[in-house]
Amino acid sequence: MKTVAIVGASGYVGGELLRLLLMHPEVEVKVATSQQHAGEYVFKAHPNLKGFTSMRFSMDTPEEAASKVDIVFMAVPHGSSIEHVPEMSEMGVKIVDMSADFRFRNQADYPVWYGWEHPAPDLLQKFVYGMPELHRKELKSARFISVPGCIASSSIYSIAPLAKAGFLDGVVVIDAKIGSSGSGNKPSMATHFSERYNSVRIYSPSGHRHIGEIEQELSIISGTKVKVTMSAHSINMVRGILTTSSVFVEREPKIQNIWNAYRTMYGEEPFVRFIMDPSGVYKYPDPKLVVGSNFIDLGFAIDRHVKRIVAIGSIDNLIKGAAGNAIQSMNIMEGFDEKEGLMMSPMRLV
Amino acid sequence: MKTVAIVGASGYVGGELLRLLLMHPEVEVKVATSQQHAGEYVFKAHPNLKGFTSMRFSMDTPEEAASKVDIVFMAVPHGSSIEHVPEMSEMGVKIVDMSADFRFRNQADYPVWYGWEHPAPDLLQKFVYGMPELHRKELKSARFISVPGCIASSSIYSIAPLAKAGFLDGVVVIDAKIGSSGSGNKPSMATHFSERYNSVRIYSPSGHRHIGEIEQELSIISGTKVKVTMSAHSINMVRGILTTSSVFVEREPKIQNIWNAYRTMYGEEPFVRFIMDPSGVYKYPDPKLVVGSNFIDLGFAIDRHVKRIVAIGSIDNLIKGAAGNAIQSMNIMEGFDEKEGLMMSPMRLV
Amino acid sequence: MKTVAIVGASGYVGGELLRLLLMHPEVEVKVATSQQHAGEYVFKAHPNLKGFTSMRFSMDTPEEAASKVDIVFMAVPHGSSIEHVPEMSEMGVKIVDMSADFRFRNQADYPVWYGWEHPAPDLLQKFVYGMPELHRKELKSARFISVPGCIASSSIYSIAPLAKAGFLDGVVVIDAKIGSSGSGNKPSMATHFSERYNSVRIYSPSGHRHIGEIEQELSIISGTKVKVTMSAHSINMVRGILTTSSVFVEREPKIQNIWNAYRTMYGEEPFVRFIMDPSGVYKYPDPKLVVGSNFIDLGFAIDRHVKRIVAIGSIDNLIKGAAGNAIQSMNIMEGFDEKEGLMMSPMRLV
Amino acid sequence: MKTVAIVGASGYVGGELLRLLLMHPEVEVKVATSQQHAGEYVFKAHPNLKGFTSMRFSMDTPEEAASKVDIVFMAVPHGSSIEHVPEMSEMGVKIVDMSADFRFRNQADYPVWYGWEHPAPDLLQKFVYGMPELHRKELKSARFISVPGCIASSSIYSIAPLAKAGFLDGVVVIDAKIGSSGSGNKPSMATHFSERYNSVRIYSPSGHRHIGEIEQELSIISGTKVKVTMSAHSINMVRGILTTSSVFVEREPKIQNIWNAYRTMYGEEPFVRFIMDPSGVYKYPDPKLVVGSNFIDLGFAIDRHVKRIVAIGSIDNLIKGAAGNAIQSMNIMEGFDEKEGLMMSPMRLV
């Protein structure tokens, strides 16, 4: 039994970590911090958890939290982890960071994608990118984990097999659709229900910060420098991501070669499913099929008109795109059964 | 380890039973029948279950299914159970019926609410109404269980404490709001997305068939003949029920007496929560807080203007309103831990 | 051609007045004030209006606005109109007030429903309640109009014929369902999309302030003191109201008598429709059928189980529940064709 | 005053034509045919129109309808117009065809995109593609109009200025998001509310038939053979389209040159708006801003990471994507004011 703390537990990602870790048989949640809600019951901020816990938010600093447990989950905004992790990393505690502050291997990517110089570049090499299916071996000996961005997760999972198999002959163009939970719990006019309902908002036509992570991982996998771009849209739902990625190829591939690429990489993975059903209602991955679960659903199509492979991925952004990958990575790091605490079935209907 | 069959496993209620029973540690799902999908993988009809099971639908008759297992769940339309249950009841199998065919204790209620004479009135006394919090003792020795209707569940749970405490001085008026999953999986113009989206449809302004069950149970609890009416609405969501019930009282009650009524009845219940938070976003029960779980959330308000208690209940219609109550009732009948297989936390956001 | 000003034109009701009045052939919008957006193009706050107008918000005080036009629409919060109207009422301008500050005929209702004493009770008698179908004659000679509350509108329209015909034998119980636009444009955690989506929120189980208006109008119509109560719910949509009202009767009425009551009152009304189609998808009024229009759709059902008439009404809360009734009332006051500027057809699908 | 017939008036496109033409001051709708609903009031199939018309559906054949009016609108499925139009084209009636049967100039495109040989290739040259902003001059002397596909409309409008200005240096990749109304009014499991709600369905990852039209028009405008591909998604709404198009350029363009391209083409157009507001909630086009109107909203962004222009377009698929373009084209053909019957403002909120 390991003890864990969640720093920033009143946000949506923190709340999802709390929900899943409270039910995890191998860990005990000892600390859940919230500056805003310190002293309150956690079910005040997360009323879904009423009946599950009588825990309260603490006002511990990240360092205080770290001093009390075996593993700290940092569910704080980008730029905030970096203020605490360097000190915490000296304390013997293991760290699972949900922010972007340790996702890049190369410190030069920070000015490009986040606009600031990384103040602790040496630490970057000590973090493992928390994508279990691609970094399982490193995770086994990791002490520090940096959990991928949500859109990055769906994108990398769906394109990685093509990268590995050498299908990436040009720029990869990703179109991402995401629910509102991806933009956090801070109210604004843009997230006001009357404005947000029924809208299709292209909030990032270009320059999305997850592009950096995606290029990093696909370049590692393919062994060449991969160029990626993305347009990201908020759509009329709360949870879920669908990424539709255009992979341009010089020669039209055989469908079985693509299947082989996916099967080789993911054939034994417990949380990867292929949704390819030409006769059903759900012919390809759809957020509706994964919400509430730790699955990444994958599919693809071949576009003969322009020599393009369409790689499709879908996840619950708060689970496989955040808390689920974090816990799965922790399970590997700790030597637990990798599936522990994560085998929720998605609902038939949401 | 008991073996179970689900008859009618391709519908929404059948699918939810399947999903929950596949994860239940004390039972093994041996048979899942579907006339329409016989021979297909269950994940073809329920793609959410991909990765959980490689089971196929069988074409067994209900009687054949009954001959192979310890417990049969009948997830078939009203009027269909009655065609099979009399024979099955002689076979030694235990039966959990999701239809309305055995919900009334009094055969005279069938012509009134369903328009047909009950062909096996003797069987009615052998069925226990599958509402664990109200019939736990009878369920322990039950062999046949009749699971309440979904709107009836929310209504009865929320009004029962008031009935028990003697607060029902007049007609009870229920306003029900329910998601689309309550009307099943058969496409029609009325359920066509373009027509159904954003609509608020009063599909039953009066005469809803669940009224009969509600009167039956409230009359039992209060010890007097209770009169109930209801208007039922389909609203813009898939899962969930909210019932808002007007209970008229002759004298304005003290709030602490109402609290006492609820606490006395449900204080120790694992699946009953009180949602009463004057300062939060969720001041009263809301389907958003229970979707995906087996909780019934309860709350109330006092209306001083007209001497009325407003009793509020909310459930996931497919879980606490159907499959969850069925499994909880089975757990009691079988002597399992009552919570087994049902302690899913609702999600923070749906 | 009359000139008009809209005070508080950046809110949702103000924006709807602006949209409709910009297209009205008999008026010219000269002033649209906004404290927050003064100086900006109106299409900055109301981007739907891009291409219709190059008008800007002014920072005029209500009194300044009143000095420049023939008619002022006050689209300001409750308690704000009362600070300006007394002075404005001396200036010769006509006033259409959207707030609740002049809706009651009886000053004693203000402490009961709004918690404050009315500072200008003499003015109350000079205002006409802006419900054209019930107060057409008074509106013809009005100078000051007080536009009904949105839920009050749907409720009064649907119950008035029954009140007139003597069917109100007991308390009237209204269940109201309303979209998010009814709660204005101020962001908060309660209206944050991730929280508000898919929720069914009973925001006022009892004591809703519109009850006062409804009782006032139904009492006038019926000639007796009518007692009303209400539970009001926010549901998963932006525009629209459905009210389901339980009218208890001592003797079960004949259906033709109810039809007569509705036809007598509304038979010739251009903006009242009866939606009663036993064979169609839309059997009763549904917000989906009125959104974008000035219609009030009405229907009813008889409940033989408890001697109850269910009176159903549906409107677009921003049009027939606010801006539409305001303009229709103004049309009457000014001697324009009553339908001018208001004959938009609702869309087939929203 | 011209007389018109709508063939296929009970479908969603037919219903929208009916709604708009009933309010058009220059035309009289004499015939609205429906095989399924012949003899019924049109408001039975289109209950939104109750109060606007007491017209009934006729069972006229298309040829019979054509014999009674000046202009026929064919709102029938692809492959059905072609069975009637050749004969009708000899009858002196003008024809506005909503199907795809006469959209291509080149008969060789039919086998490629629709799988059949065109039986009346000579007629293809007599049809004008009903996109007023691009074919206004030809429409003035047209007798036969072929209205563009809905996704094609949004795509062509948004990319055409770039094509004209010579910015198309490679394959154009379109990502389309569309509401459910685009798939018609026939119920199925795929459009069943419980399945379709909250889903993001990539229904056409490649090979969408509108690609043919888009390539045709962009090639005409640019003077070179343009290659286009598309992935099309159904999302959680009823009306509206957003297209996000990736236009790859060899040299990064200056932003003012792109603005010039758009302004040159559309600067005076009454139904084209630019939505480019870096500080607002609606920074780019969004279906929420156009629903209910005949606007095409346009915007763009420059992607410096990969030399890409992102061209964004949004329309109401049933109006600017169908009935609106049809009527605007008819207005030009008939010499009416081009805006007649089409200047509806979109609502502030939908």
Side-chain angles (χ1 to χ4, degrees):
Chain A
M1 197 73 153
K2 294 296 171 82
T3 54
V4 307
I6 301 165
V7 173
S10 67
Y12 289 157
V13 167
E16 198 69 359
L17 281 167
L18 196 50
R19 181 173 80 90
L20 296 174
L21 289 171
L22 282 170
M23 317 250 284
H24 193 294
E26 304 273 5
V27 305
E28 180 197 357
V29 182
K30 279 193 67 176
V31 179
T33 82
S34 168
Q35 295 180 315
Q36 196 186 342
H37 296 277
E40 289 177 10
Y41 286 113
V42 299
F43 61 72
K44 175 82 181 178
H46 303 301
N48 58 311
L49 295 181
K50 209 163 177 189
F52 282 90
T53 178
S54 54
M55 197 174 182
R56 290 170 186 265
F57 289 115
S58 83
M59 54 184 309
D60 288 325
T61 64
E63 291 78 7
E64 287 167 346
S67 72
K68 298 177 178 173
V69 297
D70 300 312
I71 308 164
V72 176
F73 290 80
M74 295 290 284
V76 296
H78 307 319
S80 175
S81 272
I82 189 65
E83 298 178 13
H84 303 283
V85 163
E87 180 178 339
M88 291 161 68
S89 70
E90 310 283 317
M91 294 170 66
V93 73
K94 291 176 179 174
I95 301 171
V96 182
D97 184 27
M98 312 305 291
S99 86
D101 294 0
F102 298 92
R103 289 186 195 150
F104 290 133
R105 296 288 74 80
N106 183 348
Q107 66 185 95
D109 283 332
Y110 280 95
V112 174
W113 295 106
Y114 288 87
W116 38 267
E117 294 288 338
H118 200 284
D122 293 352
L123 264 177
L124 292 177
Q125 303 316 317
K126 300 187 178 165
F127 271 79
V128 176
Y129 194 70
M131 192 167 257
E133 293 79 0
L134 302 187
H135 295 281
R136 187 171 281 119
K137 198 175 152 194
E138 300 142 88
L139 286 167
K140 279 180 186 162
S141 54
R143 287 186 50 230
F144 304 134
I145 295 169
S146 179
V147 179
C150 55
I151 298 180
S153 292
S154 183
S155 301
I156 295 167
Y157 280 123
S158 51
I159 304 167
L162 303 176
K164 181 83 173 181
F167 285 116
L168 270 52
D169 294 330
V171 168
V172 177
V173 182
I174 301 168
D175 192 277
K177 294 142 198 91
I178 183 168
S180 63
S181 58
S183 53
N185 69 353
K186 188 141 176 279
S188 73
M189 196 64 179
T191 62
H192 190 54
F193 184 85
S194 294
E195 305 291 336
R196 181 67 176 70
Y197 186 76
N198 264 350
S199 85
V200 186
R201 183 181 297 160
I202 178 162
Y203 71 93
S204 177
S206 67
H208 195 288
R209 297 182 302 186
H210 288 183
I211 294 170
E213 294 175 48
I214 301 168
E215 289 190 341
Q216 167 180 289
E217 295 297 310
L218 295 182
S219 296
I220 291 170
I221 293 162
S222 69
T224 63
K225 179 80 193 127
V226 174
K227 197 87 173 176
V228 171
T229 194
M230 183 195 293
S231 294
H233 307 72
S234 290
I235 64 172
N236 194 37
M237 61 185 191
V238 174
R239 279 184 185 237
I241 289 175
L242 186 86
T243 54
T244 305
S245 301
S246 294
V247 170
F248 295 96
V249 284
E250 284 172 10
R251 253 181 302 177
E252 188 180 301
K254 287 188 185 161
I255 191 166
Q256 76 196 59
N257 292 343
I258 301 177
W259 268 115
N260 283 345
Y262 281 99
R263 286 214 177 99
T264 302
M265 187 167 277
Y266 299 129
E268 305 298 314
E269 290 294 342
F271 292 115
V272 181
R273 303 192 299 190
F274 296 99
I275 306 292
M276 301 279 278
D277 178 0
S279 71
V281 167
Y282 299 91
K283 296 181 168 57
Y284 296 102
D286 186 324
K288 195 171 171 91
L289 292 186
V290 292
V291 162
S293 82
N294 193 47
F295 288 113
I296 162 80
D297 281 359
L298 298 175
F300 65 86
I302 296 178
D303 182 350
R304 303 190 190 287
H305 188 57
V306 303
K307 289 185 191 149
R308 180 178 68 125
I309 305 171
V310 184
I312 308 158
S314 185
I315 56 173
D316 183 320
N317 56 304
L318 293 178
I319 306 183
K320 193 63 177 167
N325 252 356
I327 293 171
Q328 191 180 347
S329 295
M330 174 200 75
N331 284 342
I332 297 171
M333 176 170 71
E334 296 300 315
F336 304 149
D337 177 348
E338 186 172 332
K339 301 188 294 297
E340 201 66 84
L342 294 172
M343 257 302 160
M344 306 82 68
S345 64
M347 284 189 283
R348 175 66 181 86
L349 304 166
V350 285
Chain B
M1 197 73 152
K2 294 296 172 80
T3 56
V4 305
I6 301 165
V7 174
S10 67
Y12 290 156
V13 168
E16 198 70 358
L17 281 167
L18 196 49
R19 181 173 81 89
L20 296 174
L21 290 170
L22 282 170
M23 317 249 285
H24 194 293
E26 305 274 4
V27 305
E28 181 198 355
V29 181
K30 280 194 68 177
V31 180
T33 81
S34 169
Q35 295 180 313
Q36 196 186 342
H37 295 278
E40 290 177 8
Y41 286 113
V42 299
F43 61 70
K44 175 82 182 180
H46 302 302
N48 58 311
L49 295 181
K50 210 166 178 187
F52 282 89
T53 179
S54 54
M55 199 174 182
R56 290 171 187 265
F57 289 115
S58 83
M59 54 186 309
D60 288 326
T61 64
E63 292 78 6
E64 287 167 347
S67 72
K68 298 178 178 172
V69 297
D70 299 314
I71 308 165
V72 176
F73 289 80
M74 295 291 283
V76 296
H78 306 318
S80 175
S81 272
I82 189 65
E83 297 178 12
H84 303 283
V85 163
E87 180 178 339
M88 291 162 69
S89 71
E90 311 283 318
M91 294 171 65
V93 73
K94 290 176 179 173
I95 302 172
V96 181
D97 184 28
M98 312 303 291
S99 85
D101 294 0
F102 297 92
R103 288 185 196 150
F104 290 134
R105 294 291 73 80
N106 183 349
Q107 68 186 94
D109 283 333
Y110 280 94
V112 174
W113 295 107
Y114 289 86
W116 39 267
E117 294 288 338
H118 201 283
D122 293 352
L123 265 177
L124 292 177
Q125 303 315 317
K126 299 187 178 165
F127 272 80
V128 175
Y129 194 69
M131 191 166 258
E133 293 79 1
L134 302 187
H135 295 279
R136 187 171 282 120
K137 197 176 152 194
E138 300 142 87
L139 286 167
K140 279 180 186 162
S141 55
R143 288 186 49 229
F144 306 133
I145 295 169
S146 178
V147 178
C150 55
I151 298 179
S153 293
S154 183
S155 303
I156 297 167
Y157 279 123
S158 50
I159 304 167
L162 303 176
K164 181 84 173 180
F167 284 117
L168 269 53
D169 294 330
V171 168
V172 176
V173 182
I174 302 169
D175 192 277
K177 294 139 198 94
I178 182 166
S180 63
S181 58
S183 54
N185 70 352
K186 188 142 176 277
S188 73
M189 196 63 179
T191 62
H192 190 54
F193 183 85
S194 293
E195 304 290 336
R196 181 68 176 70
Y197 185 75
N198 264 349
S199 85
V200 186
R201 182 181 298 159
I202 179 163
Y203 71 94
S204 177
S206 67
H208 195 287
R209 299 182 299 187
H210 288 182
I211 294 169
E213 295 174 47
I214 301 168
E215 290 190 341
Q216 167 180 288
E217 294 297 310
L218 295 182
S219 296
I220 291 170
I221 293 162
S222 69
T224 63
K225 180 79 193 130
V226 174
K227 197 88 173 175
V228 171
T229 194
M230 184 197 289
S231 295
H233 307 73
S234 291
I235 63 172
N236 194 37
M237 61 185 191
V238 173
R239 278 183 184 237
I241 289 176
L242 186 85
T243 54
T244 305
S245 301
S246 295
V247 171
F248 295 96
V249 284
E250 284 172 9
R251 255 182 302 177
E252 190 181 299
K254 288 189 185 162
I255 191 166
Q256 77 198 59
N257 292 344
I258 301 178
W259 268 114
N260 282 347
Y262 281 98
R263 285 214 177 100
T264 302
M265 186 168 277
Y266 299 129
E268 305 298 314
E269 290 294 342
F271 293 115
V272 181
R273 303 192 298 190
F274 296 99
I275 306 291
M276 300 280 278
D277 178 0
S279 70
V281 167
Y282 300 90
K283 295 180 169 56
Y284 297 102
D286 186 324
K288 195 171 171 91
L289 293 186
V290 292
V291 161
S293 82
N294 193 48
F295 287 113
I296 162 81
D297 280 1
L298 297 176
F300 65 87
I302 297 178
D303 182 350
R304 304 189 190 288
H305 188 57
V306 302
K307 290 188 189 145
R308 182 178 66 123
I309 305 170
V310 184
I312 308 158
S314 185
I315 56 172
D316 183 320
N317 56 304
L318 294 177
I319 306 183
K320 193 63 177 167
N325 253 356
I327 294 170
Q328 191 179 347
S329 295
M330 176 202 73
N331 285 342
I332 297 170
M333 176 171 72
E334 296 300 317
F336 304 149
D337 177 347
E338 187 173 331
K339 302 189 293 298
E340 201 67 84
L342 293 172
M343 257 302 159
M344 308 81 69
S345 65
M347 285 189 282
R348 175 67 181 86
L349 304 166
V350 286
Chain C
M1 197 74 152
K2 293 296 171 80
T3 54
V4 306
I6 301 166
V7 173
S10 67
Y12 290 156
V13 168
E16 197 69 358
L17 281 166
L18 196 49
R19 181 174 79 90
L20 296 174
L21 289 170
L22 282 169
M23 317 250 284
H24 193 294
E26 304 275 4
V27 306
E28 181 198 356
V29 182
K30 279 195 67 175
V31 179
T33 82
S34 168
Q35 295 180 314
Q36 195 186 344
H37 296 277
E40 290 177 8
Y41 287 113
V42 299
F43 61 71
K44 175 82 182 180
H46 302 303
N48 58 312
L49 295 181
K50 210 164 178 190
F52 282 90
T53 179
S54 54
M55 198 173 181
R56 289 171 187 265
F57 289 114
S58 83
M59 55 185 308
D60 288 325
T61 63
E63 292 78 7
E64 288 167 346
S67 72
K68 298 178 178 172
V69 297
D70 300 313
I71 309 164
V72 177
F73 289 80
M74 295 291 283
V76 296
H78 307 318
S80 175
S81 271
I82 190 64
E83 297 178 12
H84 303 283
V85 163
E87 180 178 341
M88 291 162 69
S89 71
E90 310 282 319
M91 294 171 67
V93 73
K94 290 176 179 172
I95 301 171
V96 182
D97 184 29
M98 312 303 292
S99 85
D101 293 0
F102 298 92
R103 287 185 196 151
F104 291 133
R105 295 291 72 81
N106 183 350
Q107 66 186 94
D109 283 333
Y110 280 95
V112 174
W113 296 106
Y114 289 87
W116 37 268
E117 294 288 338
H118 201 283
D122 293 352
L123 265 177
L124 292 177
Q125 304 314 317
K126 299 186 179 166
F127 272 79
V128 175
Y129 194 70
M131 192 167 257
E133 293 78 0
L134 301 187
H135 295 280
R136 188 171 281 119
K137 198 175 150 195
E138 301 141 88
L139 286 167
K140 278 180 186 162
S141 55
R143 289 186 49 227
F144 306 134
I145 295 169
S146 179
V147 178
C150 55
I151 298 179
S153 292
S154 183
S155 302
I156 297 167
Y157 279 123
S158 50
I159 304 168
L162 303 176
K164 182 83 173 183
F167 285 116
L168 270 52
D169 294 330
V171 168
V172 177
V173 182
I174 301 169
D175 192 277
K177 293 144 197 89
I178 182 166
S180 63
S181 58
S183 54
N185 70 352
K186 188 141 177 278
S188 74
M189 196 62 179
T191 62
H192 190 54
F193 184 85
S194 294
E195 304 290 337
R196 181 67 176 71
Y197 185 77
N198 263 351
S199 85
V200 186
R201 183 181 297 161
I202 179 162
Y203 70 94
S204 177
S206 67
H208 195 287
R209 298 182 301 186
H210 288 183
I211 293 170
E213 295 176 49
I214 301 168
E215 289 191 343
Q216 167 180 288
E217 294 297 310
L218 295 183
S219 296
I220 291 171
I221 292 163
S222 70
T224 63
K225 180 79 193 127
V226 173
K227 197 88 173 176
V228 171
T229 195
M230 183 195 291
S231 294
H233 307 73
S234 291
I235 62 172
N236 194 37
M237 62 185 190
V238 174
R239 278 184 186 238
I241 290 176
L242 186 86
T243 54
T244 305
S245 302
S246 294
V247 171
F248 296 95
V249 285
E250 284 172 8
R251 257 182 300 177
E252 189 181 299
K254 288 188 185 162
I255 191 165
Q256 77 197 58
N257 292 344
I258 301 178
W259 268 114
N260 283 346
Y262 281 98
R263 286 215 177 99
T264 302
M265 187 168 277
Y266 299 130
E268 305 297 314
E269 289 296 340
F271 293 115
V272 180
R273 305 191 297 190
F274 297 99
I275 306 291
M276 300 280 278
D277 178 0
S279 70
V281 167
Y282 299 91
K283 295 180 170 56
Y284 296 101
D286 186 325
K288 194 169 171 94
L289 293 186
V290 293
V291 162
S293 82
N294 194 47
F295 287 113
I296 161 81
D297 281 0
L298 298 176
F300 65 87
I302 296 178
D303 181 350
R304 302 190 191 286
H305 188 57
V306 302
K307 289 188 191 147
R308 181 177 67 125
I309 305 170
V310 184
I312 308 158
S314 184
I315 56 172
D316 183 321
N317 56 304
L318 294 178
I319 306 183
K320 193 63 177 166
N325 253 357
I327 294 170
Q328 190 179 348
S329 295
M330 175 201 73
N331 284 342
I332 296 170
M333 176 171 71
E334 296 300 316
F336 305 149
D337 177 348
E338 188 173 330
K339 302 187 294 296
E340 202 66 85
L342 294 172
M343 257 301 158
M344 307 81 70
S345 65
M347 285 189 282
R348 174 66 180 88
L349 304 165
V350 285
Chain D
M1 197 74 153
K2 294 296 171 81
T3 54
V4 307
I6 301 165
V7 173
S10 67
Y12 289 156
V13 167
E16 198 69 359
L17 281 167
L18 195 50
R19 181 174 80 91
L20 296 174
L21 289 170
L22 281 170
M23 316 251 285
H24 194 294
E26 304 274 5
V27 306
E28 182 199 355
V29 182
K30 279 194 68 177
V31 180
T33 82
S34 167
Q35 294 180 313
Q36 195 185 342
H37 296 277
E40 289 177 9
Y41 287 113
V42 299
F43 60 71
K44 175 82 182 178
H46 302 303
N48 58 312
L49 295 181
K50 208 162 179 191
F52 282 90
T53 179
S54 54
M55 198 173 181
R56 289 170 187 266
F57 290 115
S58 83
M59 54 185 309
D60 288 326
T61 64
E63 293 77 7
E64 286 167 347
S67 73
K68 298 177 177 173
V69 298
D70 300 314
I71 308 165
V72 177
F73 290 80
M74 295 289 284
V76 296
H78 307 317
S80 175
S81 272
I82 189 64
E83 297 178 13
H84 302 282
V85 163
E87 180 178 339
M88 290 162 69
S89 72
E90 310 282 318
M91 293 170 66
V93 73
K94 291 176 178 173
I95 301 171
V96 182
D97 184 28
M98 312 303 292
S99 86
D101 294 359
F102 298 92
R103 287 185 195 151
F104 291 134
R105 295 291 71 82
N106 183 350
Q107 67 185 93
D109 283 333
Y110 279 95
V112 174
W113 296 105
Y114 288 86
W116 39 268
E117 295 287 339
H118 200 283
D122 294 352
L123 264 177
L124 292 177
Q125 303 315 318
K126 299 186 179 166
F127 271 79
V128 176
Y129 193 70
M131 193 167 256
E133 293 78 0
L134 302 186
H135 295 279
R136 187 171 281 120
K137 198 175 152 194
E138 300 141 88
L139 285 167
K140 279 180 186 163
S141 54
R143 288 186 51 228
F144 305 133
I145 295 169
S146 178
V147 179
C150 56
I151 298 179
S153 293
S154 182
S155 302
I156 296 167
Y157 279 123
S158 51
I159 304 167
L162 303 175
K164 181 83 174 181
F167 284 116
L168 271 52
D169 294 330
V171 168
V172 176
V173 182
I174 301 168
D175 192 277
K177 293 141 198 92
I178 183 167
S180 63
S181 58
S183 53
N185 69 352
K186 188 141 176 280
S188 72
M189 195 64 178
T191 61
H192 190 54
F193 183 86
S194 292
E195 304 291 337
R196 180 67 176 71
Y197 185 76
N198 264 349
S199 84
V200 186
R201 184 182 296 160
I202 179 163
Y203 71 94
S204 177
S206 68
H208 194 287
R209 298 182 300 186
H210 287 183
I211 294 169
E213 295 175 47
I214 301 168
E215 289 190 341
Q216 168 180 287
E217 294 297 309
L218 295 182
S219 296
I220 291 170
I221 291 163
S222 70
T224 62
K225 180 80 192 125
V226 174
K227 197 87 173 177
V228 170
T229 195
M230 183 195 292
S231 295
H233 307 72
S234 291
I235 63 173
N236 194 36
M237 62 184 189
V238 174
R239 279 185 183 237
I241 289 176
L242 186 85
T243 54
T244 304
S245 301
S246 294
V247 170
F248 295 95
V249 285
E250 284 172 8
R251 254 181 301 177
E252 188 180 300
K254 288 188 185 162
I255 191 165
Q256 77 197 57
N257 291 345
I258 301 177
W259 267 115
N260 283 346
Y262 281 98
R263 286 215 176 98
T264 302
M265 187 167 279
Y266 299 130
E268 305 297 314
E269 289 295 342
F271 292 115
V272 181
R273 304 192 297 190
F274 297 99
I275 306 292
M276 300 280 277
D277 178 1
S279 70
V281 167
Y282 300 90
K283 296 180 169 56
Y284 297 102
D286 186 323
K288 194 170 172 93
L289 293 185
V290 293
V291 162
S293 82
N294 193 46
F295 287 114
I296 162 81
D297 281 359
L298 298 175
F300 64 87
I302 296 178
D303 181 350
R304 303 190 191 287
H305 188 58
V306 302
K307 288 188 191 149
R308 180 177 69 124
I309 305 170
V310 184
I312 308 158
S314 185
I315 56 172
D316 183 321
N317 57 304
L318 294 177
I319 306 183
K320 193 63 176 167
N325 252 356
I327 293 170
Q328 190 180 347
S329 295
M330 175 201 73
N331 284 342
I332 296 170
M333 175 171 71
E334 296 301 316
F336 304 149
D337 176 348
E338 187 172 332
K339 302 188 293 298
E340 201 68 83
L342 294 172
M343 256 302 159
M344 306 82 67
S345 65
M347 284 189 282
R348 174 67 181 86
L349 303 165
V350 285

